[in-house]
Amino acid sequence: MMDPSHSQHTVTLTVNGQRRTESLPPNLLLSEYLRDYLRLTGTHIGCDTSQCGACTVLVNGDPIKSCTVLAVQLPGAAIDTVEGLGRPGALHPVQEAFRADHALQCGFCTPGVLMTAVALLNRDPHPTEAAIRRGLDGVICRCTGYENIVTAIAHAGARMAAPQEVSQHVD
Ligand code: FES
Ligand code: FES
């Protein structure tokens, strides 16, 4: 019988700033790696068929549905999950805005929506409403009707851009 270790692949990933070298099955989804190996269960699985976006994480800064990619396909990648975004008492501006603007109800979609929003605002801190709605194309929320999500993302963008703009003004 074949030694099962022969079918493992070695891959080095940086997850939420922590570098890890892992021996993983070649068919392991990134979502399974994050949830089952690292216990980062903030990455939710809503459909497993690349439709809902609840599993969205950042891969080298881009929002990626983690149920659509194998962990061993990402050697050297930087992965950011919702667990690395903020913590109680030190929330990310997008998390602060979601709380202030009531941009979640059941919260199931929220990790994926937050990561999508962070990627969007990193690219464009002042997105138009249309750009925000386009950016949310890949994530489905069954509760909110999206209105408060769009508002929160716009407010978060303004908050994230403000210190930079102040320092540019001062300079
Ligand atoms: S669980 Fe990945 S898109 Fe739905
Ligand atoms: S808040 Fe319930 S699915 Fe989005």
Side-chain angles (χ1 to χ4, degrees):
M1 191 177 150
M2 199 174 84
D3 180 348
S5 66
H6 285 168
S7 62
Q8 301 284 102
H9 287 217
T10 301
V11 64
T12 299
L13 300 164
T14 302
V15 182
N16 294 334
Q18 193 173 353
R19 192 175 150 93
R20 309 168 166 274
T21 298
E22 308 272 23
S23 186
L24 302 174
N27 61 349
L28 186 76
L29 295 169
L30 177 60
S31 54
E32 295 171 327
Y33 169 63
L34 295 171
R35 290 178 54 86
D36 301 339
Y37 283 62
L38 304 187
R39 306 306 298 160
L40 294 174
T41 53
T43 296
H44 289 167
I45 303 298
C47 67
D48 232 350
T49 54
S50 54
Q51 297 182 53
C52 73
C55 65
T56 301
V57 298
L58 302 188
V59 176
N60 298 327
D62 292 325
I64 299 290
K65 293 175 177 174
S66 61
C67 75
T68 66
V69 63
L70 302 173
V72 299
Q73 287 178 303
L74 302 169
I79 316 290
D80 292 297
T81 73
V82 72
E83 285 87 351
L85 208 53
R87 56 185 192 285
L91 296 180
H92 186 282
V94 177
Q95 292 171 313
E96 284 285 6
F98 270 55
R99 183 169 67 175
D101 290 322
H102 309 290
L104 62 144
Q105 289 180 28
C106 80
F108 192 84
C109 72
T110 307
V113 176
L114 287 171
M115 301 315 286
T116 301
V118 168
L120 173 73
L121 293 174
N122 283 342
R123 281 196 307 270
D124 175 8
H126 296 297
T128 61
E129 181 181 337
I132 294 173
R133 290 184 184 277
R134 248 195 331 274
L136 291 171
D137 261 1
V139 288
I140 294 173
C141 176
R142 291 159 57 110
C143 304
T144 64
Y146 300 95
E147 294 302 321
N148 289 2
I149 290 177
V150 172
T151 302
I153 293 173
H155 285 161
R159 204 178 296 188
M160 286 164 70
Q164 215 179 346
E165 282 168 5
V166 168
S167 92
Q168 272 166 5
H169 184 67
V170 168
D171 295 344

